[in-house]
Amino acid sequence: MKFGHFSDSAREYVITTPRTPLPWINYLGSEAFFSLVSHTAGGYSFYRDAKLRRITRYRYNNVPADSNGRYYYIKDGDTVWNPGWQPTQTELDSYECRHGLGYSIITGKKNSLTAKLELFVPVGDNCEIDRLVLTNESDAPKSFTVFSYLEFCLWNAVDDSTNFQRNFSTGEVEVEGSTIYHKTEYRERRNHYALFTVNTPIDGFDTSRDAFLGAWRSNANPEVVENGRCTNSVAHGWAPVGVHQVNVTLQPGESRSLIFVLGYIENPEDEKWAAPGVINKTRAQAMAARYATDAQVDAALAKLHDHWNTLLSTYSVKSSDEKLDRMVNTWNQYQCMVTFNMSRSASYYESGTGRGMGFRDSCQDLLGFVHLIPARARERILDIAATQFPDGSAYHQYQPLTKKGNMDIGSGFNDDPLWLIAAVYAYLGETGDYSILDEPVDFDNDHSLAQPLLEHLRRSFGYLRTHKGPHGLPLIGRADWNDCLNLNCFSKEPGESFQTTGPSEGPVAESVFIAGMYVKYGNQFAEILDSTGHTDEAAAVRAEVAEMEHTVLTAGWDGSWFRRAYDAFGHVIGGEECEEGKIFIEPQGMCVMAGIGVDTGEAVTALQSVKDKLDTKYGIVLLQPAYTKYHLELGEISSYPPGYKENAGIFCHNNPWVSCAETVVGHGDRAFEIYKKTCPAYIEDISEIHRTEPYVYSQMVAGRDAATFGEAKNSWLTGTAAWTFVDVSQYILGIQPTLAGLKIDPCIPHEMDGFTLRRVWRGATYEIVVENPDHLEKGVKAMTVDGKPVSGNILSPVPAGSTVQVKVVMG
Ligand code: GLC
Ligand code: GLC
């Protein structure tokens, strides 16, 4: 069952009923001012940091779901309604929400009045624009009243929802003309305030929530709206809100637009005040003036469309499969941008108050983003690397505002260092900008310890080289990619953090998954060393890698698949001898991607085992059999009920690893089958089962051991976005930026005749036609560049600005 449809020409998802299984959301903003907006206009805004600079208030896990938002009430006679249905839930005559790239348009119609609400954050500005266009579709004049409503957050989202003894007394506002200013704590240490304005004289306002809603009411039935009149309340403490009242009369067929602006303003210390107690509004007034007319808003929207069209023209495909095209060209890349911006901070499942930026998460997010804005990827790499410790290990997380490593969680996640190599390699392959390797970068944010970035990579690899366990496999530390495999934790206390309990290092527990990474990213490191003239060192790294490959094929091989790990007692995890958790997905994908066992047959055998033991109709589960009891020696993984999260859920992030791995052994049919199983566009039809948004990936889908098999959770902020894009763009369609050049190596389903693809790489445009006359799954027989045959399948860089025609024939 569907609750909407894709509009490919507009690059929108069109939701046709407000009664979706869950709030289906979109992100506005891509620089500093961000908003989350659901299909019923729920959500909130923040400036840079969702915890420390929360602009509007939201109630997570609220009943009913998804309250608050920016709500517009229309009182038309005795009927009160919202264009997005919420919060009054008044039945609409028609409803539609179009989520597009950086904007959403929600249109409701009731009693011949149409209200179209366009929401977006302009490129380069710190505000959200809500343009409400009202049209009288009846044949008689109509008079009605519009009320805006949003609740201000008192900046720190955690304090705002916990420290009521203080914050019920701090709220302050000013109202001048049509603008409401939220200035809590501006009198003391803050130099920022929020404004909420509308481009027309108003007929009233409210800034006290109590005055607006009335006692014992909710935003579903505000008293002021019912009465049709604001009280002009000025908030002192309690809950400051922004409400405008605008009375409207429309002739038959007439339209009127109201432009609301929710903005964030910072003033320099010596420009804070206009008069004692009166805030300096100069910047706010200038902001309001930038969006005072429809022409200005139209221009800002056009700029936003241009921004996205330019970004997404870097990689676009045309094939015979419209779902593939729509995911590759629009939604997958869009989600990559959002995950890059948000990391794991603010979604409808991440409250924006918890984790900072993850070292491993951000490095992987970058793999799906680097082609979009390489300069921002560069900056991100340098920020991340500066949190690395001198011994090559890393803070697991850092705070985006301070860019400092987060002490609470500390270090000891032994996959972290290798992801830095992955990120840097991806950046170099995309840009060829080797200067990044010479950039001096702090260790542990200490300038006196700064070393060139290349030295950071050396220490990343070196950390794993010098931290091996009894079998010669890398020590796992607190955990590897799987945060829930906590082999040195041994936690018995309820509520204790699995992430930080126990020693951060253990001398025995080892990870086969990290061994796979060591081989894959060790080889990339060797390539980087070769390209920078460090030939001897590259050879030494390759020798280390070869030794690890051998170790994986002995101590890490279980007979039909790769083992997962060894626990703190040296017992096998992920082997036939285990009662539960006999086989795990992660090492199968990573080790084969690394090329381990490809020549000797283990790779194909391992992938066949995945198919036989882990595959389901909704994707590949993380392990089997699921853990049914809590295993002290394994930690959090066995804490989840069977079928959920890391305990045998379909953890979407690692499904593309197996799809990539299948391309490594030439199985295009199977690689694509795996790709499709978790890909939103292909499962849109089962939205009532899947439940999360059908245009983006979720972190997890309940596995076959779960009662709710097929149900997704935790949409939007997941490494799945980046890895599926890497899978489809580099492994399946096969356009791989490498240090040697742009490699073309498709591995596609045999029935596909080919495809055409546009790739902007290092400033030049490659128009690539791939033909598959013999209906193969992999292999390039011939390639021409501008009509001339070339040998091999690697394109060399050409001058920026040029366009190159490439023809590739599979065979
Ligand atoms: C979450 C974490 C990520 C981890 C994964 C598997 O998505 O953000 O760092 O790798 O879970 O546990
Ligand atoms: C839990 C989750 C895992 C996530 C981690 C982050 O362990 O299961 O997915 O990565 O929390 O702290």
Side-chain angles (χ1 to χ4, degrees):
M1 182 182 169
K2 301 202 289 185
F3 299 86
H5 56 267
F6 287 94
S7 165
D8 291 331
S9 55
R11 291 181 144 158
E12 292 170 341
Y13 192 80
V14 186
I15 301 166
T16 48
T17 167
R19 290 184 175 81
T20 52
L22 291 164
W24 283 2
I25 77 159
N26 193 13
Y27 284 83
L28 314 179
S30 53
E31 293 146 323
F33 188 105
F34 295 100
S35 296
L36 285 68
V37 59
S38 73
H39 69 297
T40 63
Y44 59 91
S45 305
F46 61 93
Y47 176 76
R48 286 193 192 278
D49 186 316
K51 177 178 173 186
L52 301 175
R53 290 279 198 286
R54 187 76 68 97
I55 295 169
T56 51
R57 183 177 286 159
Y58 186 78
R59 291 186 185 80
Y60 276 94
N61 202 7
N62 193 56
V63 183
D66 193 27
S67 177
N68 272 324
R70 63 298 272 159
Y71 291 134
Y72 295 91
Y73 297 85
I74 293 167
K75 180 170 162 59
D76 181 9
D78 289 336
T79 309
V80 175
W81 60 284
N82 304 95
W85 184 64
Q86 278 268 67
T88 58
Q89 298 191 3
T90 301
E91 218 47 59
L92 299 172
D93 298 338
S94 75
Y95 162 90
E96 178 188 88
C97 167
R98 308 180 82 97
H99 282 319
L101 303 177
Y103 67 91
S104 293
I105 304 172
I106 298 173
T107 309
K109 186 171 170 185
K110 183 80 188 167
N111 299 340
S112 302
L113 179 62
T114 299
K116 174 178 169 193
L117 178 63
E118 296 168 287
L119 310 102
F120 71 104
V121 171
V123 177
D125 217 341
N126 292 324
C127 56
E128 176 185 310
I129 310 292
D130 299 351
R131 174 162 63 178
L132 182 66
V133 183
L134 302 147
T135 306
N136 178 3
E137 318 258 8
S138 77
D139 41 23
K142 241 184 195 306
S143 293
F144 56 93
T145 310
V146 174
F147 297 90
S148 66
Y149 175 67
L150 51 79
E151 222 180 313
F152 292 108
C153 182
L154 307 179
W155 304 116
N156 179 324
V158 172
D159 191 78
D160 181 75
S161 60
T162 49
N163 191 10
F164 306 111
Q165 61 79 24
R166 170 180 157 85
N167 64 38
F168 279 170
S169 294
T170 57
E172 288 190 298
V173 298
E174 278 180 40
V175 182
E176 197 182 285
S178 297
T179 308
I180 293 161
Y181 297 89
H182 173 231
K183 60 169 189 177
T184 300
E185 291 187 352
Y186 188 80
R187 64 164 60 244
E188 30 127 344
R189 291 157 297 175
R190 294 191 185 274
N191 66 345
H192 46 264
Y193 61 76
L195 67 130
F196 187 36
T197 191
V198 58
N199 68 335
T200 189
I202 54 177
D203 297 290
F205 65 86
D206 271 296
T207 65
S208 150
R209 189 181 69 195
D210 290 347
F212 178 69
L213 298 181
W216 300 106
R217 286 171 177 250
S218 75
N219 56 18
N221 59 349
E223 197 166 63
V224 155
V225 179
E226 209 170 282
N227 294 340
R229 203 171 321 107
C230 275
T231 70
N232 295 353
S233 60
V234 175
H236 299 283
W238 297 110
V241 298
V243 175
H244 305 93
Q245 174 185 343
V246 183
N247 301 338
V248 183
T249 299
L250 293 178
Q251 296 309 312
E254 189 188 353
S255 287
R256 174 163 178 204
S257 84
L258 302 174
I259 302 165
F260 295 86
V261 179
L262 171 69
Y264 170 88
I265 299 292
E266 280 179 5
N267 278 334
E269 193 58 34
D270 54 355
E271 292 175 28
K272 275 179 75 169
W273 303 102
V278 179
I279 62 176
N280 178 350
K281 305 184 177 69
T282 316
R283 287 178 174 78
Q285 284 154 354
M287 177 183 275
R290 287 197 285 280
Y291 308 101
T293 67
D294 280 318
Q296 288 171 312
V297 171
D298 289 340
L301 260 174
K303 195 168 158 193
L304 181 71
H305 296 325
D306 278 355
H307 170 76
W308 276 105
N309 288 337
T310 309
L311 281 183
L312 297 188
S313 65
T314 310
Y315 193 118
S316 57
V317 68
K318 183 138 185 41
S319 75
S320 51
D321 183 337
E322 63 168 15
K323 293 176 180 161
L324 174 69
D325 294 2
R326 105 174 23 126
M327 287 311 298
V328 171
N329 299 343
T330 303
W331 295 100
N332 198 171
Q333 296 195 64
Y334 184 54
Q335 189 178 0
C336 284
M337 180 80 172
V338 171
T339 48
F340 179 83
N341 284 329
M342 295 286 130
S343 189
R344 304 294 171 270
S345 77
S347 73
Y348 269 33
Y349 306 84
E350 301 274 10
S351 64
T353 64
R355 304 192 243 179
M357 311 276 289
F359 192 99
R360 80 154 85 86
D361 291 341
S362 297
C363 285
Q364 290 173 86
D365 292 345
L366 194 138
L367 305 179
F369 169 84
V370 60
H371 66 294
L372 292 173
I373 313 183
R376 285 189 66 197
R378 187 183 207 274
E379 189 188 331
R380 179 67 60 82
I381 287 172
L382 299 175
D383 286 349
I384 296 172
T387 67
Q388 191 176 24
F389 287 106
D391 70 356
S393 64
Y395 278 107
H396 192 48
Q397 291 168 8
Y398 71 100
Q399 295 309 121
L401 267 189
T402 62
K403 299 190 173 173
K404 291 247 161 60
N406 179 341
M407 241 357 189
D408 304 336
I409 180 136
S411 151
F413 296 79
N414 284 354
D415 60 321
D416 277 334
L418 294 172
W419 291 119
L420 183 64
I421 299 177
V424 173
Y425 184 93
Y427 175 78
L428 293 174
E430 184 63 38
T431 62
D433 166 26
Y434 284 92
S435 75
I436 193 173
L437 296 173
D438 302 326
E439 284 282 341
V441 183
D442 299 351
F443 280 104
D444 195 5
N445 293 108
D446 179 343
H447 291 311
S448 71
L449 301 176
Q451 291 284 336
L453 182 66
L454 183 65
E455 180 61 25
H456 283 254
L457 304 188
R458 195 171 274 134
R459 302 214 189 155
S460 283
F461 187 74
Y463 186 81
L464 277 304
R465 184 169 46 76
T466 54
H467 287 75
K468 292 181 193 152
H471 297 90
L473 293 162
L475 290 171
I476 197 167
R478 289 203 179 281
D480 60 24
W481 172 87
N482 191 329
D483 273 340
C484 298
L485 204 55
N486 317 115
L487 305 184
N488 295 304
C489 175
F490 295 95
S491 173
K492 283 188 168 163
E493 284 302 313
E496 240 172 28
S497 161
F498 288 105
Q499 307 258 300
T500 55
T501 301
S504 66
E505 291 190 17
V508 177
E510 300 168 292
S511 164
V512 179
F513 174 77
I514 302 182
M517 287 186 72
Y518 188 86
V519 172
K520 180 165 170 57
Y521 300 116
N523 278 327
Q524 291 192 349
F525 179 45
E527 228 183 296
I528 294 173
L529 288 169
D530 267 334
S531 322
T532 50
H534 302 82
T535 329
D536 293 347
E537 197 185 348
V541 167
R542 287 204 175 92
E544 288 283 345
V545 164
E547 192 184 316
M548 186 61 79
E549 253 186 282
H550 176 73
T551 310
V552 171
L553 287 173
T554 48
W557 181 248
D558 200 65
S560 299
W561 56 83
F562 295 100
R563 292 177 170 165
R564 180 62 178 85
Y566 285 90
D567 71 15
F569 308 102
H571 299 143
V572 172
I573 298 173
E576 188 59 67
E577 69 191 82
C578 306
E579 201 187 315
E580 305 186 318
K582 287 176 189 290
I583 172 171
F584 282 65
I585 188 174
E586 306 100 306
Q588 323 310 329
M590 186 53 78
C591 291
V592 178
M593 272 200 285
I596 304 173
V598 170
D599 297 334
T600 44
E602 290 89 345
V604 168
T605 304
L607 294 175
Q608 186 60 44
S609 297
V610 169
K611 189 169 182 188
D612 295 342
K613 297 182 183 302
L614 299 178
D615 208 12
T616 78
K617 61 178 171 177
Y618 298 132
I620 304 168
V621 298
L622 195 146
L623 61 88
Q624 279 294 292
Y627 294 107
T628 56
K629 37 187 185 291
Y630 177 55
H631 291 253
L632 188 60
E633 78 288 4
L634 300 180
E636 185 168 3
I637 194 161
S638 58
S639 75
Y640 286 114
Y644 293 99
K645 293 280 280 181
E646 282 87 342
N647 187 15
I650 298 158
F651 216 91
C652 299
H653 186 139
N654 49 36
N655 275 242
W657 294 344
V658 178
S659 179
C660 293
E662 291 284 4
T663 70
V664 170
V665 297
H667 297 166
D669 288 342
R670 174 70 180 146
F672 199 59
E673 179 190 338
I674 296 170
Y675 169 75
K676 286 196 292 190
K677 280 186 182 182
T678 54
C679 185
Y682 294 89
I683 50 179
E684 188 196 4
D685 286 338
I686 56 150
S687 288
E688 82 285 8
I689 299 172
H690 191 72
R691 300 186 78 222
T692 51
E693 296 91 332
Y695 40 91
V696 292
Y697 287 91
S698 295
Q699 182 204 50
M700 194 242 1
V701 174
R704 67 174 177 224
D705 299 285
T708 57
F709 182 34
E711 180 191 50
K713 290 192 185 113
N714 205 354
S715 57
W716 282 97
L717 303 186
T718 162
T720 312
W723 271 107
T724 47
F725 190 68
V726 169
D727 178 27
V728 71
S729 65
Q730 299 189 29
Y731 286 81
I732 294 176
L733 298 173
I735 313 300
Q736 300 171 18
T738 71
L739 304 193
L742 193 64
K743 189 170 166 190
I744 318 286
D745 195 12
C747 184
I748 55 177
H750 75 275
E751 73 263 14
M752 211 184 252
D753 293 326
F755 54 86
T756 60
L757 201 141
R758 179 177 193 273
R759 179 67 160 92
V760 179
W761 182 67
R762 301 194 190 175
T765 303
Y766 294 81
E767 288 177 352
I768 304 165
V769 179
V770 173
E771 292 174 357
N772 188 19
D774 300 329
H775 289 276
L776 303 171
E777 294 175 60
K778 194 172 180 171
V780 170
K781 166 166 85 179
M783 185 161 95
T784 61
V785 174
D786 287 334
K788 293 186 211 68
V790 293
S791 67
N793 60 345
I794 298 185
L795 298 165
S796 308
V798 295
S802 37
T803 298
V804 182
Q805 307 293 333
V806 183
K807 189 169 152 190
V808 177
V809 182
M810 293 177 69

